Amino acid sequence: MKDITFVDENDNVLGHGTKQEVWEKGIIHRIARVFLFNPRGELLIQKRADHIQSLPGRWDQSAAGHVDAGEDYHTAAERELLEEVGVRGVTLTELGKIYSDETDEPEKMKKRFSTIFTGSHDGEITPNAEEVSEARWIAPEELREWMDTRPNDFTQGFVNSFKYLQSISR
């Protein structure tokens, strides 16, 4: 397992270490989040595999992951998109960055800067069964209703990022 990037409260790199360290010690770290849309305006969402370490079985954005040591947000976004749903060659646009203290796993302190990327894709999706149990396209308004009625179906990071995306898209 690769080390991930540790940062300060201004997102300046401090060093690197393991996911376990950030969760146990509350170290701020970086996440790249990708929201992939098709030409019909639907968003690709994925359900996290049941056997993964963090939030198994919860729905998440198209792809996301920790920024590895020595990596930038954009490189991590492209890597995660390929690793999780088998998509490459998409032009990703950086929309912004948010900070959050996520509490959906009380035993893990998740202090994160998430940089949000969007892209457009109308091709093949190949979910990686090691990380993803299901992937589907959904209309944003349908997703909003689902999140409002069943927020625990989703990762808190996804909900926070989706709300941010919606707020800047209006």
Side-chain angles (χ1 to χ4, degrees):
M1 179 167 292
K2 294 183 180 178
D3 277 358
I4 63 173
T5 304
F6 296 171
V7 296
D8 66 15
E9 63 279 350
N10 296 309
D11 198 26
N12 297 308
V13 175
L14 296 175
H16 56 86
T18 67
K19 290 180 198 176
Q20 205 63 40
E21 283 180 271
V22 299
W23 292 334
E24 289 173 0
K25 298 176 182 174
I27 299 169
I28 304 170
H29 54 289
R30 292 177 167 178
I31 302 286
R33 297 185 186 275
V34 180
F35 289 77
L36 203 57
F37 292 89
N38 65 22
R40 294 170 300 287
E42 297 168 318
L43 172 65
L44 179 68
I45 61 173
Q46 55 143 301
K47 191 173 189 183
R48 299 168 66 83
D50 289 332
H51 60 271
I52 61 175
Q53 188 177 18
S54 181
L55 299 168
R58 297 244 190 132
W59 286 93
D60 226 339
Q61 61 278 304
S62 309
H66 293 90
V67 176
D68 289 343
E71 224 176 17
D72 61 25
Y73 282 106
H74 192 271
T75 302
E78 289 179 333
R79 175 180 49 77
E80 292 292 346
L81 197 54
L82 180 59
E83 284 177 8
E84 293 181 4
V85 292
V87 173
R88 73 173 76 225
V90 170
T91 300
L92 296 177
T93 302
E94 182 178 326
L95 295 184
K97 183 188 308 182
I98 61 173
Y99 175 82
S100 61
D101 284 323
E102 297 166 21
T103 58
D104 49 5
E105 290 181 293
E107 70 283 3
K108 295 176 181 163
M109 290 187 283
K110 296 179 185 175
K111 298 173 181 286
R112 302 172 157 175
F113 279 102
S114 293
T115 296
I116 314 300
F117 294 89
T118 60
S120 181
H121 183 69
D122 195 26
E124 200 65 31
I125 301 293
T126 312
N128 175 352
E130 290 297 313
E131 298 192 39
V132 178
S133 64
E134 186 180 342
R136 66 179 264 211
W137 296 98
I138 187 169
E141 50 279 355
E142 183 183 343
L143 179 59
R144 259 192 313 276
E145 288 176 22
W146 184 6
M147 283 182 170
D148 287 345
T149 58
R150 299 183 53 141
N152 291 334
D153 286 357
F154 305 92
T155 68
Q156 191 175 38
F158 175 33
V159 172
N160 294 342
S161 299
F162 183 70
K163 286 180 181 176
Y164 170 78
L165 181 64
Q166 295 288 292
S167 75
I168 64 170
S169 299
R170 295 181 185 197

